[in-house]
Amino acid sequence: MPSKNSSQQITRPERTGRTYVLDNVERYGQVRYKLLSKMFDGITTRALRIAGVRSGWSCLEAGAGAGSIAHWLARRVGSTGHVLATELDTTLLQRVSVPNLEVRQHDLLRDPLPKRTFDLVHMRLVLMHLPERDQVLVKVADAVKPGGWLLLEEFDSFSLAPMNTPESCEKLLNTTAAFRQFMTSKGVDLGYGRGLGSLLLKCGFKNVRAEGAISLWPGGSSGSRFVKSTYEELREPLLRTGLVDEAGYANDLSRLDHPIFCSRLLLWVFLTKTAKSQFCWVEAGSCPDQFGCLGPALSHSSAANRLTI
């Protein structure tokens, strides 16, 4: 690991053979990251302020995307701090130029991370896309130093059912049903945010504090454009599901532009501080079978641990 004052290091991307369902670099990827930044950077940075990110901290931004949060962290920790931003393809991160920011091409499943090193580890909308998400969760949690912070943010696409009333502007589109089926078939867990708190408790984290941030996005807004862009990218596989035809697909996309049609997104934000001493599960170094090796879930009340941000 370089010194905190080292200049930015860029690793040129090389294809590793591991691919994601969605494009993260080309036209659709660039649009998606720009919209995600508009939609959720405010929520993320508020949580980071609550964690107390300050000068001199060492931070890991895993799955950094286009680097908006990595750049915010680098400015926050200052010249005496250090931020490591990792991504499978670092093309978009090359545009972020901050002296105390290191950019590294990295496969979260296959490549190692330094253990017990960072004051803060943050991931946003990464784990849900990885079939091996539980293994990666163990690895990134192991990278947090004793007394450090772990901040995770994931979608929950299933907890908000649309209101089935004539006056409601909400409707479950056939294209949305096709999207859910297709993404699930590719190993994406669209409801991962809802169960993540329980997994953190099983991992040994105490005082797991969470907030479900529900956002309502009318047609043409950043949120609706985010959904529309995703559906446009996946047009062919969505049509192949048989849950929507060409005419229905076109009609659904036009709805996403209509000012009275609303898209709703639920983002779960989990912020937890590690104990001063190491957890036994960290020493074990693995957690197969959906954390079954860790015994039964701890019976903590999520309401008692709620964090308002």
Side-chain angles (χ1 to χ4, degrees), residues 63-107:
S68 63
I69 296 300
H71 184 256
W72 186 94
L73 285 169
R75 288 185 285 112
R76 187 81 171 185
V77 302
S79 60
T80 59
H82 175 261
V83 176
L84 172 61
T86 69
E87 186 56 79
L88 195 62
D89 189 324
T90 62
T91 300
L92 299 181
L93 285 172
Q94 294 180 27
R95 303 173 183 177
V96 182
S97 180
V98 183
N100 60 339
L101 173 64
E102 177 191 0
V103 173
R104 183 183 302 175
Q105 183 188 1
H106 184 269
D107 185 319

Side-chain angles (χ1 to χ4, degrees), residues 21-23 28-29 32 228-235 237:
V21 177
L22 298 171
D23 160 50
Y28 285 112
R32 185 179 304 108
K228 183 179 180 180
S229 176
T230 302
Y231 291 172
E232 287 175 337
E233 178 182 352
L234 297 177
R235 178 182 181 278

Side-chain angles (χ1 to χ4, degrees), residues 30-42:
Q30 294 182 49
V31 170
R32 185 179 304 108
Y33 283 131
K34 183 177 180 179
L35 292 172
L36 283 172
S37 178
K38 290 182 178 180
M39 294 159 62
F40 298 126
D41 276 8

